[in-house]
Amino acid sequence: MKRRKDKNERILLKTLQFLNKRFAYWIIFIIIGLVLFASMYNNVKPIVLDVTKFEPAKETIRSPFTIEDVHATERARQEAANQVQAKYVLKPEIGQNRIDLINSIYDSAIELQDELTELSIRAEAENSEDELAVDNPTLKEKVNWLKEKLTKSVVNDLSNNTLEALVNNSKPDLVTARDAAVTAINNVMSHEISSSEVENARKKVEEELRFVSIPETLKNATIELARYAIVQNYFYDPEATEELRKQAEENVDPVYILQGQIIVEEGQLVNQKIWDQLELIGLVNTEFPYMPFIGLFIFVFALIGIIYSYYNGNRKNESVNKELLIFSVILLVSIVIMKGISAVPIQQYDISYVFPAALCAMLLKILLNERLGIIGTIILAAASAIIFNGQSSGSFHLTIAIYILFSGLAGIAFLSNQNQRSKIFQAGLFVSAINIFVVIALLFIPNTKFSMTQYVIYASMGLFSGIGSAVLTIGFLPFLEAGFGILSTMKLIELSNPNHPLLKKILTEAPGTYHHSVMVANLADSACEAIGANGLLARVACYYHDIGKTRRPNFFIENQMNAGNPHDHLPPETSRDIIIAHAHDGAEILRKNHMPKEIVDVALQHHGTSLLKFFYHKAKENGKEVSEEEFRYPGPKPQTKETAIISIADSVEAAVRSMKNPDKEKIEELVKNIIKDKLNDDQFSESDLTLKELKIIEQTICETLHGIFHNRIEYPEMKKKGD
């Protein structure tokens, strides 16, 4: 049995040496990334369905995610654009131009009448003897004179009868005809006249002029002129129409294929529209779907980046590789459990809620720290959204991610003040309560209609998840602590139990040492907490730091009671060897009992290389030639802050205990001198303690000692009866 234990210790030592190497740091990250990628590979790999165009579907197909149906959106926008009516615009200037044209025609005819009248008057005034001196112009000549006043296009558009009527009627009749025509044209042209409405508008203007009181020939000419004046004044506006169509297209919302939407039902014919949708989603693509895997790689890289960002800031810590390995083992075990649950073929219920979501968080909180527990929970929640996507119709199962996030954080919160292994199960019950509330909330929010039985089943899953997290945490803890040599908070609390065999050994064989250890523990604990060191580790290590004294308890002053001091009869060299041996003896006893390395180190290092001043000076007084090195502890010096603080507390407690009537000033002076002597003796050079921290330690130890050795109130002695 002993050989097997020694072999296991050697294997553990070699493993830890390997972990301290730099390349192991990167190997662990690569392994985490590969496991995460492999666990989610099948969940992102697109499913290619056995579907043939224009044949019935063999199964009902739903959309795995929400995506815009670009073809349907384009069709909807085209339909909206087609429904926009053409935009026309009224041009009133056309009506005015036509009125001006008719006015000019009548004005030309009136002007011709004035010229003819003037010509006739001049002929009469000359009183010519020759009657044929001035001939009256013929109708043809009058028409020709009128044509000269008009434009060629107007002459071509008007009939000869109309021109004859204009030159054959009197000026008053022409004025009346002109006014009537202008009024009628204005009335008609003030309305919208499209190309198809021109003839109707001309009929309307003709109707208005039928009852004008003018000669018939002039009336017919006026009607022709009015009809001639009526033209299209309402025209198609292509720019405005295009603008309206664009607005109509923009107002059309994109058409989406929603996550979970049925694209084609079993037995339904796969027409072109359905085929386009299947192609759009990628369910019938024959090309290699590289994009999902690129996305998964980036996703995993981001998760690894979260872990790296934490550990990269702690690279100076020699145990970073060990912590990283512990973190990765716990995380990857949780991923494997998650993957196993996702592979269970149950379609009726979403069994992902059974996953022990708080397991990873609780283990990391207990074995490492709260921050890593939160990081692990976030990574698990993110990964679960993909690993459990088979329980949803989309690529991500966001509800289970929320569930795992809440459950993991609840595990960390409820375990924060539960530092005993027996309390883990109680924390699991609290997590179960949170799980139930979260599950019910996630089912109620989307207004899902479930039966009471289904709600009870999902609530039971949440209960089982919380209790399972606690049970698995309790089950995994011993293996992880043993496998990695972890001194967890739970382990420390167990070691602090007074019923521990080694503590009983100290109490029964060296009671003075036991009391001394308890007092040192109080001082060291408070000082460690004050500077942010591990107070619990310091306290427990103090309980065992002097266990080596149990081999020769009577040679240590705290165990001598009223008996004589055997050192009075021993040479200083022998006393030196006995006193110095207790550090090595204590480490040996602790190793034989398989105590954690941290506690063994405290027993071996708490005196560092300090000098046994009493026996050194005693030897000098005896006239012997001795050096200080002969009367120093072999070391090593304290390697951690906790060990350095214990060395201070150990010296302070022994010195204060030997003082007579200690008061505040004496205690403060004593503590200051002890720390100063150790600092000058270079005992803290390997422990990373700063001068600022030493000052805080000094103040904290003094405050603690004041509470222990406070001045008691002196009560007057009771007078004897009869005085």
Side-chain angles (χ1 to χ4, degrees):
M1 178 67 72
K2 183 177 179 181
R3 290 182 179 178
R4 182 178 299 175
K5 290 180 179 178
D6 293 340
K7 183 179 180 181
N8 291 338
E9 289 180 358
R10 287 197 299 271
I11 294 173
L12 176 60
L13 180 61
K14 290 181 179 179
T15 302
L16 295 177
Q17 290 174 347
F18 168 78
L19 291 176
N20 287 330
K21 297 180 180 179
R22 181 176 177 82
F23 71 89
Y25 179 80
W26 298 107
I27 290 176
I28 296 172
F29 276 111
I30 293 172
I31 292 174
I32 295 174
L34 290 175
V35 173
L36 286 174
F37 190 90
S39 66
M40 293 181 276
Y41 176 85
N42 288 332
N43 297 90
V44 302
K45 183 179 180 181
I47 301 173
V48 179
L49 302 173
D50 183 14
V51 181
T52 305
K53 189 189 295 187
F54 303 126
E55 289 188 8
K58 298 179 181 179
E59 59 180 322
T60 298
I61 302 174
R62 297 176 180 270
S63 174
F65 47 80
T66 298
I67 188 173
E68 181 184 353
D69 188 343
V70 292
H71 299 296
T73 301
E74 185 61 30
R75 287 194 297 269
R77 288 175 176 170
Q78 189 60 47
E79 290 176 2
N82 293 338
Q83 291 177 359
V84 173
Q85 294 182 354
K87 178 68 175 177
Y88 287 84
V89 59
L90 175 65
K91 295 185 177 180
E93 66 273 12
I94 293 179
Q96 186 61 46
N97 291 340
R98 303 305 287 182
I99 290 174
D100 292 342
L101 176 61
I102 297 303
N103 271 326
S104 64
I105 293 173
Y106 277 103
D107 289 344
S108 297
I110 293 171
E111 182 181 352
L112 179 60
Q113 290 295 334
D114 290 340
E115 291 176 354
L116 291 173
T117 302
E118 183 181 353
L119 182 62
S120 176
I121 293 172
R122 188 170 61 248
E124 291 178 359
E126 290 177 354
N127 209 5
S128 176
E129 295 179 356
D130 188 1
E131 294 180 357
L132 298 177
V134 179
D135 295 331
N136 290 327
T138 63
L139 180 60
K140 185 177 181 180
E141 290 176 335
K142 292 179 181 179
V143 170
N144 289 335
W145 290 345
L146 180 60
K147 286 180 179 181
E148 291 177 358
K149 293 180 178 294
L150 302 176
T151 62
K152 186 176 181 180
S153 61
V154 172
V155 171
N156 293 334
D157 291 336
L158 297 179
S159 66
N160 200 58
N161 291 334
T162 297
L163 295 176
E164 290 178 354
L166 290 175
V167 298
N168 247 355
N169 284 280
S170 63
K171 180 178 178 180
D173 290 337
L174 290 174
V175 172
T176 301
R178 181 191 64 186
D179 294 341
V182 168
T183 301
I185 294 169
N186 185 62
N187 290 338
V188 174
M189 289 290 288
S190 62
H191 297 86
E192 299 169 354
I193 303 174
S194 62
S195 58
S196 60
E197 294 293 326
V198 173
E199 187 58 34
N200 291 334
R202 288 173 177 174
K203 290 180 180 179
K204 185 180 294 186
V205 77
E206 182 178 344
E207 291 297 326
E208 288 192 22
L209 294 173
R210 283 293 179 191
F211 304 101
V212 178
S213 179
I214 53 177
E216 191 66 23
T217 56
L218 183 56
K219 182 186 295 186
N220 292 333
T222 300
I223 291 174
E224 182 179 348
L225 286 171
R227 287 177 60 86
Y228 171 67
I230 300 301
V231 293
Q232 180 182 353
N233 66 353
Y234 194 55
F235 293 92
Y236 170 69
D237 189 341
E239 294 182 359
T241 302
E242 186 64 25
E243 183 65 25
L244 289 175
R245 287 177 178 172
K246 287 183 179 180
Q247 291 178 2
E249 290 178 357
E250 291 174 357
N251 291 333
V252 174
D253 293 328
V255 179
Y256 287 96
I257 302 174
L258 301 178
Q259 177 180 324
Q261 176 181 328
I262 295 176
I263 300 175
V264 59
E265 295 184 353
E266 182 180 357
Q268 182 182 355
L269 183 69
V270 180
N271 56 28
Q272 185 62 48
K273 178 181 177 181
I274 294 174
W275 183 262
D276 291 341
Q277 290 180 336
L278 293 174
E279 278 190 325
L280 182 65
I281 297 173
L283 298 178
V284 293
N285 289 340
T286 57
E287 298 179 359
F288 180 76
Y290 60 88
M291 291 184 64
F293 301 113
I294 294 177
L296 178 60
F297 176 81
I298 297 173
F299 183 75
V300 172
F301 187 80
L303 297 182
I304 296 296
I306 297 174
I307 307 172
Y308 175 79
S309 65
Y310 173 82
Y311 279 105
N312 190 53
N314 295 279
R315 288 297 300 275
K316 294 182 180 180
N317 186 354
E318 294 182 357
S319 63
V320 63
N321 283 9
K322 178 182 175 182
E323 283 192 7
L324 179 58
L325 181 60
I326 296 170
F327 176 87
S328 63
V329 168
I330 295 173
L331 177 66
L332 297 183
V333 166
S334 300
I335 291 291
V336 170
I337 295 174
M338 184 183 294
K339 191 66 178 177
I341 293 175
S342 69
V344 177
I346 297 179
Q347 300 295 332
Q348 187 177 1
Y349 295 101
D350 184 356
I351 65 167
S352 56
Y353 293 103
V354 176
F355 173 70
L359 169 63
C360 178
M362 295 172 74
L363 284 174
L364 292 175
K365 166 64 180 174
I366 294 170
L367 298 177
L368 298 177
N369 57 61
E370 182 174 310
R371 187 177 176 186
L372 283 173
I374 295 174
I375 292 174
T377 300
I378 293 173
I379 293 174
L380 272 186
S384 69
I386 295 178
I387 292 177
F388 285 124
N389 65 3
Q391 303 291 337
S392 67
S393 57
S395 299
F396 298 95
H397 192 347
L398 296 181
T399 53
I400 191 63
I402 297 173
Y403 170 78
I404 290 177
L405 183 63
F406 273 88
S407 184
L409 294 178
I412 294 172
F414 288 120
L415 198 61
S416 60
N417 296 319
Q418 306 294 332
N419 291 324
Q420 297 181 17
R421 194 183 300 268
S422 60
K423 297 294 184 179
I424 296 178
F425 188 78
Q426 181 179 346
L429 292 177
F430 285 118
V431 172
S432 296
I434 296 297
N435 288 351
I436 293 172
F437 283 116
V438 173
V439 168
I440 298 300
L442 293 175
L443 295 178
F444 280 5
I445 288 174
N447 196 28
T448 309
K449 302 298 181 182
F450 285 143
S451 64
M452 182 57 66
T453 302
Q454 290 174 309
Y455 285 123
V456 171
I457 290 174
Y458 279 115
S460 301
M461 290 183 185
L463 175 66
F464 182 82
S465 172
I467 296 176
S469 297
V471 171
L472 290 174
T473 299
I474 295 172
F476 279 127
L477 268 179
F479 296 99
L480 293 170
E481 290 174 348
F484 291 100
I486 299 172
L487 184 59
S488 66
T489 301
M490 300 300 169
K491 183 68 174 178
L492 285 172
I493 291 176
E494 288 182 354
L495 293 175
S496 67
N497 191 331
N499 292 320
H500 192 283
L502 291 183
L503 292 183
K504 283 186 175 182
K505 176 182 176 67
I506 300 173
L507 179 61
T508 56
E509 297 180 12
T513 297
Y514 182 87
H515 179 265
H516 161 72
S517 299
V518 172
M519 297 296 291
V520 173
N522 291 330
L523 296 175
D525 185 2
S526 59
C528 285
E529 293 294 336
I531 67 168
N534 191 334
L536 181 59
L537 171 60
R539 173 176 288 277
V540 177
C542 285
Y543 292 157
Y544 296 91
H545 81 291
D546 275 342
I547 193 171
K549 293 181 179 180
T550 57
R551 288 192 173 177
R552 304 177 188 86
N554 294 331
F555 285 87
F556 297 91
I557 190 169
E558 68 265 21
N559 297 313
Q560 292 169 0
M561 304 301 177
N562 294 323
N565 189 342
H567 292 290
D568 294 339
H569 310 289
L570 294 175
E573 291 82 4
T574 303
S575 297
R576 173 202 64 191
D577 294 340
I578 293 173
I579 298 299
I580 288 177
H582 88 275
H584 179 270
D585 292 341
E588 184 179 345
I589 294 171
L590 293 173
R591 288 194 190 99
K592 285 183 178 180
N593 286 271
H594 306 288
M595 294 294 282
K597 181 178 181 298
E598 291 84 349
I599 294 179
V600 176
D601 289 342
V602 169
L604 194 61
Q605 301 169 12
H606 72 281
H607 283 294
T609 59
S610 59
L611 176 67
L612 288 170
K613 294 181 179 180
F614 179 81
F615 295 108
Y616 170 69
H617 290 297
K618 184 177 180 180
K620 296 278 285 184
E621 289 172 359
N622 291 339
K624 297 180 179 180
E625 292 294 332
V626 293
S627 65
E628 286 189 2
E629 295 300 323
E630 296 177 25
F631 284 83
R632 285 186 177 275
Y633 282 90
K637 297 176 183 178
Q639 301 295 304
T640 64
K641 292 182 179 181
E642 290 81 5
T643 307
I645 291 172
I646 291 171
S647 72
I648 296 172
D650 183 54
S651 300
V652 167
E653 197 282 331
V656 172
R657 181 165 27 88
S658 64
M659 293 176 63
K660 294 182 179 180
N661 301 321
D663 56 22
K664 182 177 180 181
E665 289 74 16
K666 290 180 180 179
I667 290 174
E668 290 179 354
E669 185 67 22
L670 176 66
V671 174
K672 183 181 295 185
N673 289 334
I674 288 175
I675 294 177
K676 183 179 179 180
D677 288 344
K678 287 184 176 292
L679 185 61
N680 293 335
D681 199 26
D682 199 31
Q683 295 300 307
F684 304 137
S685 59
E686 299 176 12
S687 64
D688 292 334
L689 276 178
T690 65
L691 293 177
K692 181 179 180 181
E693 288 173 336
L694 285 173
K695 188 65 178 178
I696 296 173
I697 292 168
E698 176 189 328
Q699 295 172 351
T700 305
I701 290 178
C702 288
E703 291 173 0
T704 305
L705 288 172
H706 294 333
I708 297 173
F709 297 99
H710 63 281
N711 293 326
R712 301 181 182 274
I713 300 175
E714 296 184 2
Y715 294 95
E717 294 183 2
M718 295 180 64
K719 293 182 179 181
K720 295 181 180 180
K721 293 181 180 180
D723 286 353

